[in-house]
Amino acid sequence: MPYINVRGVEHYYEWVKKPSGSLTKPVMVFIHGWAGSARYWRSTANALSEQFDCLLYDLRGFGRSRGKPTIVQASESVAESESLQEQSEAIKDLTYELEEYADDLAALLDGLHIQRVYINAHSMGASVATLFFNRYPQRVERGILTCSGVFEYDEKAFTAFHKFGGYVVKFRPKWLDKIPFVDRMFMARFLHSPIPNSERQAFLQDFLQADYDAALGTIFTSVSKAQSELMPQEFAKLTVPTLLVAGEYDKIIPAEMGRQAAAFSDKVEFVVIPNTAHFPMLEDASTYLRRVQEFLQIKTAEAQVG
C-alpha cells in the first residue's frame, strides 16, 4: 500500500484514475470525516475519475495512516543528526487542532508535487478543508463541503458530548464488529436511506481502528467553544468558490447549520439532498453527483456509481 511521510507521520494515500490519452486531468482531493477513512469516498471518486485524477488519503490517526511519528534511526552524520533533531522538535509540536490537519494536507500535496487542486471534503474533514481554503487559497480551484456548517456554543451540551465521546472512544473492543447487525446499529444515527452492507461494515472497522489520541483529540478540537467562534469567521473569509451540500435529515450536522454557514459568504452555493442524512454521497449517489457536476460545470451524461 502506498504511504508518504507527512510532517514525520506515515500517511496512507491512493489514486483513483482513468486513462485520458494525452490530456492532463486536474486533481481532486477527497477528505474524510471523524473516525472514517478514504474508503467511503471511492465510489464518488470512481464516478468523477473521467474528469479528475482523484487523490484519496487517510487523515493522521485515522484509517490506515499512523497516529504517531515514525521512529527514525540514529544517523552517523552530524548534519543528518541535526536535521533529524529539528524534524523531531517539529513533530513534537503536532496537535489535533484542525488547523494542523489543514497543514498536513499542504505538506501531503508538497510531497506529491501537486500545486493546485479541487477538494471534496466531508463532516470534520470539511472543517479542515474550509481552513485549508483560507490558509492556502492559491492552491484550490474549487471546493465541495459535504455535511458542514456552523454551530452555537452550549457549555452543558458540549461538556456532555465530550464526556460521552470519551466513553465511546475508550470502549471499542476489537470483537465488536463480529456481533451480528452491530454495523446497522452503529450507522443508524448517520443514515436516512440505506447504503450497502460493505460500506456499513467498513465504517465500523474504521471506527474501531482509529488511533485513540487522534479520535479523542479531534472530538475536543472540532466541537469546542473556539471552533464555534472560528468557523463563522472562516466562512465569511472564503474566496474559493464553494459548494456546501447538506443531507435533509442529517442529525449530526443538521441542514440548517449548513444553511447558516453558507449565508456568511456569497462564494458559497448551498444545496440540500432530499431523503438523505450524514452521507448523501452514498445514500443518493446520483443526485449528489449531479449537484457536484453542475457546480463543477461538467457536461456529461448522468454519472453512475460503480
Side-chain angles (χ1 to χ4, degrees):
M1 292 191 295
Y3 282 85
I4 185 170
N5 189 292
V6 176
R7 304 171 78 200
V9 180
E10 292 296 305
H11 279 61
Y12 171 85
Y13 73 98
E14 63 184 78
W15 286 100
V16 176
K17 297 182 179 181
K18 288 183 180 176
S20 60
S22 60
L23 294 177
T24 300
K25 295 181 185 176
V27 172
M28 179 174 286
V29 182
F30 292 78
I31 311 175
H32 66 80
W34 183 82
S37 79
R39 289 193 285 190
Y40 69 74
W41 274 125
R42 283 177 181 158
S43 58
T44 308
N46 277 323
L48 292 171
S49 60
E50 293 284 353
Q51 294 81 30
F52 297 91
D53 286 337
C54 297
L55 173 62
L56 287 65
Y57 77 105
D58 291 345
L59 294 168
R60 173 164 43 95
F62 298 104
R64 293 138 295 185
S65 291
R66 294 177 183 267
K68 305 292 187 295
T70 303
I71 297 174
V72 293
Q73 301 296 322
S75 171
E76 296 180 1
S77 162
V78 174
E80 288 181 6
S81 295
E82 291 176 350
S83 175
L84 290 175
Q85 185 175 358
E86 290 175 4
Q87 184 184 38
S88 297
E89 290 299 318
I91 291 169
K92 276 199 304 187
D93 291 336
L94 285 179
T95 70
Y96 300 109
E97 297 291 339
L98 300 189
E99 291 90 340
E100 292 279 11
Y101 280 95
D103 291 340
D104 286 350
L105 174 55
L108 172 70
L109 296 179
D110 288 343
L112 295 174
H113 307 291
I114 301 169
Q115 294 302 315
R116 193 168 173 85
V117 296
Y118 291 75
I119 291 179
N120 192 349
H122 175 246
S123 196
M124 185 191 85
S127 295
V128 172
T130 304
L131 294 166
F132 185 88
F133 294 170
N134 286 331
R135 291 164 87 89
Y136 305 95
Q138 74 282 3
R139 305 195 74 162
V140 187
E141 191 71 38
R142 285 182 168 235
I144 303 154
L145 306 177
T146 302
C147 300
S148 184
V150 296
F151 51 86
E152 294 182 4
Y153 177 67
D154 183 324
E155 184 176 5
K156 281 189 175 181
F158 280 32
T159 300
F161 176 80
H162 291 155
K163 187 174 183 180
F164 176 72
Y167 289 140
V168 168
V169 172
K170 190 172 185 178
F171 182 72
R172 291 179 297 160
K174 300 302 181 185
W175 46 259
L176 191 62
D177 62 345
K178 303 298 189 294
I179 299 175
F181 308 115
V182 72
D183 57 312
R184 291 180 182 273
M185 292 184 286
F186 176 74
M187 292 299 295
R189 181 170 173 76
F190 298 96
L191 302 173
H192 180 77
S193 298
I195 64 173
N197 293 349
S198 59
E199 295 281 11
R200 293 199 311 271
Q201 292 161 4
F203 278 119
L204 180 58
Q205 290 167 7
D206 286 336
F207 168 70
L208 296 175
Q209 293 169 7
D211 177 80
Y212 176 83
D213 291 333
L216 188 61
T218 49
I219 283 178
F220 283 94
T221 58
S222 59
V223 182
S224 64
K225 182 179 181 181
Q227 201 69 9
S228 70
E229 295 170 347
L230 174 66
M231 291 312 294
Q233 299 173 30
E234 293 295 326
F235 275 101
K237 289 193 300 185
L238 282 174
T239 59
V240 173
T242 301
L243 175 67
L244 200 163
V245 182
E248 181 182 15
Y249 296 106
D250 192 346
K251 296 177 182 177
I252 309 303
I253 303 177
E256 185 54 33
M257 289 184 178
R259 193 183 308 277
Q260 292 171 7
F264 282 101
S265 173
D266 59 7
K267 291 291 184 180
V268 182
E269 178 184 335
F270 178 70
V271 299
V272 177
I273 308 294
N275 298 314
T276 65
H278 198 56
F279 289 91
M281 72 289 258
L282 299 176
E283 296 172 80
D284 185 355
S286 60
T287 302
Y288 179 85
L289 286 165
R290 177 170 56 81
R291 289 292 198 171
V292 166
Q293 289 172 327
E294 287 171 356
F295 171 71
L296 297 173
Q297 300 174 346
I298 296 172
K299 296 178 181 178
T300 64
E302 185 175 0
Q304 300 294 321
V305 176

